[in-house]
Amino acid sequence: MKEEYDFRFQGLDLVQDSARVRKLRAALLELAGGFTEINQGTLTDLIPGNGLGYIAALDDHKKLEELNQRLEGLAKAWNLPVPSISPASDGPRSHCAFFLIPSLTNRDKTGHRRDLFSPEKWAYIKEALQGKLSYPVQLVYGEWLPQDSSRGVDQDASFIFVFKLASGKEVEEMCRFIEREIFDGGKECDQETIYLSVGGMGTYVYDPSASGDS
């Protein structure tokens, strides 16, 4: 598991400042290998403050120092407030967990990407989790470096499912739900892993069929 860090970059607009946002994303890819981007005004209870929100998992304190320096340099160059990075385990997300489900499949040989699930399956998933989630399901954006270095950067919009942590039981139940209902033996879902954040620590749930368990 990797420790996650949160921050919001005040003053950036996705449309008007697209070049700056792209530069910020590139820095996060370089230092963290990936990130989740939260829209301004979204999930502010979990990531307080104004501006675009970011979640990134870092390997060690050295990477944290490098990211702090990079963000400070960008903020000064753009004449914007310097973002304050904090460990998610010390903030509001210490009492929450979330998992991400990509909205689209991986690219096929022609480059096409279909919806990961049919509308009926999405409706079933949301209904099955009704009453267990802390926030309405919404879309977030993310990028990450693939394991295969010959491939380009992966990027996707994902649905974020947030739930509160009262005990380890909630995490176990969500892991079982992901294994049973999200991974469907390749019928619709073609993902090998689903990103899971628990109390500010990032990990993965793996497709049980990939290891021959089912």
Side-chain angles (χ1 to χ4, degrees), residues 22 25 35-37 100-107 113-116 122 139-144 153-159 190-191:
R22 183 65 261 165
R25 291 172 176 174
F35 63 85
T36 299
E37 183 179 83
L100 300 172
I101 304 180
S103 62
L104 302 176
T105 60
N106 298 319
R107 298 187 186 278
R113 303 179 72 188
R114 63 168 172 80
D115 290 340
L116 184 67
W122 280 123
L139 279 172
V140 297
Y141 176 76
E143 292 185 10
W144 59 96
V153 174
D154 287 325
Q155 54 189 16
D156 206 351
S158 297
F159 291 99
D190 68 345
Q191 303 297 299

Side-chain angles (χ1 to χ4, degrees), residues 80-93:
L80 295 174
V82 177
S84 177
I85 308 176
S86 58
S89 58
D90 291 343
R93 289 208 297 113

Side-chain angles (χ1 to χ4, degrees), residues 98-173:
F98 72 81
F99 60 92
L100 300 172
I101 304 180
S103 62
L104 302 176
T105 60
N106 298 319
R107 298 187 186 278
D108 61 20
K109 294 180 180 179
T110 66
H112 175 70
R113 303 179 72 188
R114 63 168 172 80
D115 290 340
L116 184 67
F117 290 127
S118 64
E120 292 78 14
K121 182 62 179 287
W122 280 123
Y124 166 78
I125 291 171
K126 293 174 182 178
E127 183 177 355
L129 294 175
Q130 190 173 19
K132 298 181 180 180
L133 300 179
S134 305
Y135 297 87
V137 178
Q138 47 201 299
L139 279 172
V140 297
Y141 176 76
E143 292 185 10
W144 59 96
L145 296 175
Q147 297 295 323
D148 184 350
S149 60
S150 65
R151 292 168 50 200
V153 174
D154 287 325
Q155 54 189 16
D156 206 351
S158 297
F159 291 99
I160 186 169
F161 296 77
V162 183
F163 57 101
K164 287 189 176 180
L165 293 174
S167 68
K169 182 180 179 181
E170 284 82 3
V171 176
E172 293 178 5
E173 289 178 350

Side-chain angles (χ1 to χ4, degrees), residues 2-5 28 31-35 55-59 195 201-202:
K2 288 186 179 182
E3 186 164 13
E4 295 176 333
Y5 292 83
L28 289 170
L31 297 174
F35 63 85
I55 299 171
L58 300 173
D59 290 324
Y195 187 81
M201 301 295 291

